[in-house]
């Protein structure tokens, strides 16, 4: 092609491009920035899209979150662990006669004059109905476990509810409080209290007592809320309209708030620390860490994943060749570089910890930990694990110290795995890393050998924690009776197959205790037993779940015991 | 012809049944569970789980669930979504307009761009124009949509701030401003799809044109002294576009089922995004409904393509 011709072609090409730029320019010119036209609209971004607005039938935290703008519990706990009344007129206590002396019942006084968004009065009957609905096995309520200790719930008068427990219980504050305690209206759900629960239109068109009502619900996409005109507090909420958009991923959700301003608030922006810091540098938004009871841990398999018995591997009666050795477990805990993992990968969203129970604050044992590879190597030497065949890996009686370490697919988790593999490699332990898609790792299908309940590996890593201020249920995870096996479809909580009569005895004591201070001490004692003395589990990171918020939004107050929009009526936009 | 049609329709029924059995079995056996997120929650005990399974109807054997599903589907009931507990058909209808708007526009634009570009670059083979277009096409179908999607977001949303990268499905087009907003938010997802679709189609058109250009009938036409325009338009193009029409017809089902990756990236609430979400959440009734509708569309459009072929090319005989 001659030069002249090439030049002509370029001219033609340029002529072609001009109209394109003109059209593009026109479009940009006509655009009014979204912020300018919608000051009274709050734009929330949830990278997991809510699909259902009935908190008792929910299939994920996202649904609870989206329901919380509409429904309210009787009371909730704030970040300092203090109770805040919602539908209750006052917080019951032994002093004011609300809680029975022997802890066998609790009587709640309700606010009077509260109405549902459709104008119907809210009464004690609604609370009684909520209990009947949740405890009906045919409904299949996800929250039912929180209500199993209840003997009866009665309405003494329209504004008084009495809950009687089967046995005296210190955790009288669990039912109807916080995340799992949202009250639903009797007059709407009455005819759906049975196997037809899923057909209730109100599952997607909720009527609540909260600050907002839904205007438009598109499951898996967007929910538009408008202020509830019947809300009892004058002048609240401040935002007339809330749009909750769902979908996408955590990184781009953080970007939309921190970098482009496409949204005002993004939930659970669990992204690598370095990425968040970079996005935050734009200066239009901030990271709000949500404190919580969630802890990233290494779960140890006390049974042998490589031997099959009765059609299952990791059988509780086949002990692990070396993880049952306390010195080995102590060495593993010493070899975890918690500080580096926290600094490099979690940033503001995580601090190193060796505690099993993180929250409430008064239950924290502050168990000691250190990162010391030499000490770890020494412990292994003493236990007789030495590299006798010079292949770089310790062995004993012909067993090589090789392990499979599994977790879900997630960039932060894979990097944590790498750090641990390197450190363990230095002291002669060989790790094979395995990562499993989250939807497979976290499912409970009895036929799925790759989920955490089957635990067909030596170590695995995930996050959980107690979901209310009473950690009894969470302490239960390590008793012998809870061992996950084929008989119970691997659905119980003790995936470690850990069984120690000493721990079981401590748990039995805890359950029988009624004195709050003695209980606190007992929880701490059990905590230290699990993580220091017996190393049944290796805690790594105290995980806060960071949210991203525009600098213009004020009033956000996150608590570990309730959902993020729990005080949305107080959120405002600074002008 | 009629007999051929009836025959084809009868063959479709066992095909679709077989597809539905295979898909249903795979979904029933695959790991994944609607309660997955609560796996580490201490409050979700085995008993609670069992109640939930029962309330979703998962306690029955697979074959009974299949027969129930089939019977309901034949009556137009696609079941309830595990996740939103609303009828699957509502979820699909809610998202169909968005999918048709974004994917349909992209498809239309791609076809409008690809056919003339393909024709011109075939006619002007090895010229500068041809080289530019074929290079672009090569780039277009080599780059996966998730890559171009993120590239577009970084360039046009983050750097230039031209377009929003979150698709707002509550936007209603009522006036000029809202129309502009609608166009603005659609540009990036549409362009990502156009780039890919047009590239594939353009290469096909070009190849098909080149194949016809040296045929004897073209030479005859030229020898008769016909003008170049007439030769191209009446002779080459007509024949070259026959396979293109088939390709387009077979691709139309994808317009209805959305663009999985692109919708996910731009948060476009289309059917593709619904399918991806439902797979992740183990929401089998939704996955089943969408895949099966897709299967039905493919069977139908296969038939349409065959019939179109006969209309465009009279040499095709319908026998069986």
């Amino acid at each position: 092609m001659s030069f002249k011709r090439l030049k002509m072609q370029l001219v033609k090409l340029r002529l072609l491009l001009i109209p394109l730029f003109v059209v593009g320019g026109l479009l940009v010119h006509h655009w009014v920035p979204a912020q300018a036209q919608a000051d009274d609209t709050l734009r929330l971004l949830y990278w997991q899209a809510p699909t259902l607005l009935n908190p008792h039938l929910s299939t994920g935290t996202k649904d609870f979150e989206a329901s919380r703008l509409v429904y309210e519990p009787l009371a909730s706990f704030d970040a300092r662990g203090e109770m805040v009344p919602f539908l209750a007129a006052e917080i019951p206590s032994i002093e004011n006669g609300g809680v029975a002396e022997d802890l066998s019942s609790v009587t709640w006084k309700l606010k009077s004059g509260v109405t549902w968004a459709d104008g119907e009065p809210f009464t004690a009957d609604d609370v009684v109905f909520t209990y009947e609905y949740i405890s009906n096995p045919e409904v299949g309520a996800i929250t039912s476990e929180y209500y199993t200790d209840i003997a009866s719930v009665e309405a003494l008068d329209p504004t008084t509810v009495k809950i009687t427990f089967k046995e005296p219980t210190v955790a009288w504050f669990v039912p109807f409080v916080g995340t799992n305690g949202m009250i639903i209206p009797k007059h709407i759900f009455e005819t759906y209290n049975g196997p037809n629960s899923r057909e209730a239109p109100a599952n997607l068109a909720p009527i609540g007592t909260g600050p907002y009502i839904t205007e438009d619900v598109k499951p898996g996409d967007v929910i538009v809320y408008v202020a509830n005109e019947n809300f009892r507090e004058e002048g609240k909420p401040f935002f007339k309209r809330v749009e909750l958009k769902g979908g996408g991923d955590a990184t781009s959700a953080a970007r939309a708030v921190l970098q482009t301003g496409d949204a005002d608030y993004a939930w659970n922006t669990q992204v690598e620390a370095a990425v968040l810091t970079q996005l935050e540098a734009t200066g239009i938004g901030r990271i709000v860490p949500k404190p919580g009871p969630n802890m990233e841990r290494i779960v140890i398999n006390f049974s042998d994943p490589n031997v099959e018995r009765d059609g299952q591997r990791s059988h509780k009666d086949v002990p692990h060749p070396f993880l049952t050795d306390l010195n080995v477990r102590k060495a593993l805990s010493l070899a975890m570089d918690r500080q580096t993992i926290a600094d490099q990968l979690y940033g503001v969203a995580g601090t190193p910890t060796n505690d099993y129970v993180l929250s409430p604050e008064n239950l924290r044992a502050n168990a000691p930990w250190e990162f010391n590879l030499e000490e770890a190597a020494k412990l292994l030497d003493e236990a007789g694990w030495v590299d006798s065949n010079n292949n770089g890996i310790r062995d004993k009686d012909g067993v090589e110290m090789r392990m499979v370490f599994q977790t879900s697919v997630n960039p932060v988790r894979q990097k944590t795995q790498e750090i641990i593999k390197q450190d363990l490699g230095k002291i002669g332990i060989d790790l094979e890393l395995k990562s499993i898609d989250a939807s497979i790792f976290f499912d409970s299908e009895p036929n799925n050998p790759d989920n955490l309940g089957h635990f067909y590996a030596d170590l695995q890593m995930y996050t959980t924690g107690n979901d209310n201020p009473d950690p009894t249920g969470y302490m239960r995870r390590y008793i012998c009776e809870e061992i996950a096996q084929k008989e119970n479809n691997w659905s119980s909580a003790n995936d470690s197959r850990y069984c120690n009569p000493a721990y079981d005895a401590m748990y039995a004591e805890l359950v029988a205790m009624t004195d709050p201070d003695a209980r606190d001490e007992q929880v701490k004692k059990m905590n230290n037993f699990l993580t220091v003395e017996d190393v049944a589990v290796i805690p790594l990171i105290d995980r806060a779940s960071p949210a991203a918020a525009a600098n213009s939004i004020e009033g956000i107050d996150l608590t570990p015991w309730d959902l993020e929009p729990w005080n949305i009526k107080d959120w405002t936009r600074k002008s | 012809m009629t007999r051929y049609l009836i025959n084809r329709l009868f063959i479709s029924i066992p095909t679709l049944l077989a597809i539905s059995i295979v898909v249903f079995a795979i979904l029933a056996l695959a790991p994944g569970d609607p309660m997955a997120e609560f796996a580490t929650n201490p409050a979700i005990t085995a008993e609670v789980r069992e109640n939930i399974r029962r309330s979703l109807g998962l306690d029955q054997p697979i074959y009974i669930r299949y027969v129930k599903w089939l019977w309901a589907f034949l009556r137009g009931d696609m079941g309830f979504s595990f996740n939103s507990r609303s009828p699957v058909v509502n979820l699909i209808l809610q998202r169909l307009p968005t999918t048709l708007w974004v994917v349909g526009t992209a498809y239309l634009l791609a076809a409008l761009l690809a056919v003339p570009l393909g024709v011109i670059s075939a006619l002007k083979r090895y010229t500068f124009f041809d080289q530019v277009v074929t290079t672009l096409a090569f780039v277009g179908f080599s780059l996966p949509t998730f890559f171009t999607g993120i590239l577009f977001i970084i360039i046009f949303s983050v750097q230039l701030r031209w377009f929003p990268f979150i698709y707002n499905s509550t936007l209603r087009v009522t006036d000029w401003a809202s129309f502009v907003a609608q166009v603005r938010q659609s540009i990036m997802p549409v362009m990502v799809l156009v780039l890919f679709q047009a590239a594939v189609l353009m290469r096909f058109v070009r190849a098909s044109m080149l194949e016809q250009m040296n045929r004897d009938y073209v030479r005859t036409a030229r020898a008769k002294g016909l003008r170049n325009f007439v030769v191209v338009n009446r002779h080459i193009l007509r024949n070259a576009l026959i396979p293109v029409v088939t390709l387009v017809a077979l691709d139309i089902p994808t317009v209805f089922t959305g663009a999985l990756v692109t919708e996910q990236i731009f948060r476009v609430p289309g059917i593709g995004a619904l399918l991806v979400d439902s797979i992740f959440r183990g929401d089998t009734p939704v996955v089943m409904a969408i895949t099966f509708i897709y299967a039905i569309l493919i069977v139908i459009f296969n038939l349409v393509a065959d019939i179109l072929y006969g209309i465009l090319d009279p040499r095709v005989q319908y026998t069986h």
Side-chain angles (χ1 to χ4, degrees), chain B residues 24-299:
Chain B
F24 198 92
I26 290 173
L27 287 178
L29 297 174
D33 161 353
M35 296 293 121
E37 201 191 317
F38 294 118
T40 57
N41 187 329
I44 310 299
T45 60
E47 200 187 331
V48 174
R49 220 170 261 290
E50 199 39 53
N51 285 339
I52 293 166
R53 282 177 67 82
R54 211 178 307 127
S55 83
L56 296 177
L58 287 172
D59 53 334
Q60 293 156 330
I62 293 180
Y63 60 93
I64 291 187
R65 271 153 57 198
Y66 174 73
V67 171
K68 277 189 164 177
W69 173 84
L70 187 68
W71 180 232
F73 194 91
L74 291 177
R75 288 174 305 154
D77 173 8
M78 288 185 249
F80 275 82
S81 151
F82 290 166
N83 273 300
S84 67
R85 312 252 178 145
S86 62
V88 173
V89 62
N90 288 5
L91 291 179
I92 293 177
L93 288 179
Q94 211 160 49
R95 286 159 179 263
L96 196 61
T98 313
T99 300
L100 287 182
W101 161 251
V102 173
V103 189
T105 311
Y107 207 83
L108 207 68
L109 280 179
L112 289 180
L113 270 176
V115 174
L117 284 180
V119 169
I120 296 172
S121 76
L123 291 176
K124 305 196 168 185
R125 193 144 60 133
Y126 303 135
T127 60
F128 180 71
F129 179 87
D130 180 36
Q131 267 154 359
V132 169
V133 171
T134 42
T135 312
L136 276 179
F138 188 69
V139 170
F141 77 76
S142 309
L143 289 180
T145 47
F146 67 82
F147 180 80
T148 39
I150 289 169
L151 198 71
F152 276 32
I153 287 180
I154 295 201
I155 297 175
F156 296 112
S157 259
V158 175
Q159 299 297 333
L160 296 171
R161 307 256 168 134
W162 283 6
F163 310 121
F165 74 92
I166 296 174
Y167 191 92
N168 176 7
S169 55
T170 58
L171 188 77
R172 280 191 189 80
V173 178
T174 49
D175 50 12
W176 174 245
S178 58
F179 176 73
V180 171
Q182 175 70 1
V183 171
R184 281 171 42 81
Q185 68 174 355
S186 312
I187 283 182
M188 285 201 295
V190 168
M191 287 324 284
V192 164
L193 291 171
V194 166
L195 188 65
F196 184 77
Q197 286 283 10
V200 176
L201 208 56
M202 180 261 151
R203 300 214 14 130
F204 198 80
V205 171
R206 183 175 178 274
S208 182
M209 281 290 287
L210 288 178
E211 201 183 315
Q212 301 293 331
M213 270 161 57
N214 296 326
R215 290 285 177 85
D216 288 343
Y217 76 89
V218 179
R219 236 174 291 156
T220 314
R222 287 197 198 282
K224 283 197 293 184
L226 287 175
R227 274 169 43 229
N228 188 36
F229 179 79
V230 177
V231 174
V232 171
N233 207 22
R234 302 256 303 267
H235 292 80
I236 306 178
L237 202 56
R238 192 168 281 186
N239 284 300
L241 286 189
I242 291 174
V244 176
V245 168
T246 321
L247 186 79
V248 172
L250 289 182
D251 243 9
I252 285 180
T254 58
V255 176
F256 289 89
T257 53
L260 314 186
V261 180
T262 314
E263 289 182 4
Q264 199 74 3
I265 293 173
F266 294 102
R267 293 180 168 82
V268 177
I271 290 175
L274 178 67
L275 180 61
V276 173
D277 280 348
S278 304
I279 290 171
F280 277 131
R281 296 200 186 117
D283 198 347
T284 43
V286 180
V287 180
M288 187 67 208
I290 297 177
T291 34
F292 196 56
I293 292 173
Y294 190 39
I296 293 175
L297 288 174
I298 288 182
V299 168

Side-chain angles (χ1 to χ4, degrees), chain B residues 295-317:
Chain B
I296 293 175
L297 288 174
I298 288 182
V299 168
I300 291 176
F301 278 94
N302 251 303
L303 189 56
V304 170
D306 284 351
I307 293 169
L308 272 182
Y309 225 103
I311 294 169
L312 295 169
D313 188 348
R315 285 169 303 176
V316 174
Q317 296 287 310

Side-chain angles (χ1 to χ4, degrees), chain A residues 137-156:
Chain A
E138 286 188 323
V139 168
I142 188 104
T143 45
S144 61
E145 186 62 16
Y146 298 93
Y147 296 83
T148 47
D149 297 335
I150 295 177
S152 70
V153 178
E154 328 152 59
L156 299 183

Side-chain angles (χ1 to χ4, degrees), chain A residues 74 97-98 100 104-110 124 127-128 131 150-157 159-165 176:
Chain A
L74 294 183
S104 62
S105 70
V106 54
T107 308
W108 289 88
K109 283 271 171 212
L110 308 179
V127 182
V128 175
Y131 169 69
I150 295 177
S152 70
V153 178
E154 328 152 59
L156 299 183
D157 63 54
T159 57
T160 317
V161 180
K162 185 180 179 193
I163 304 170
T164 312
F165 296 100
F176 306 119

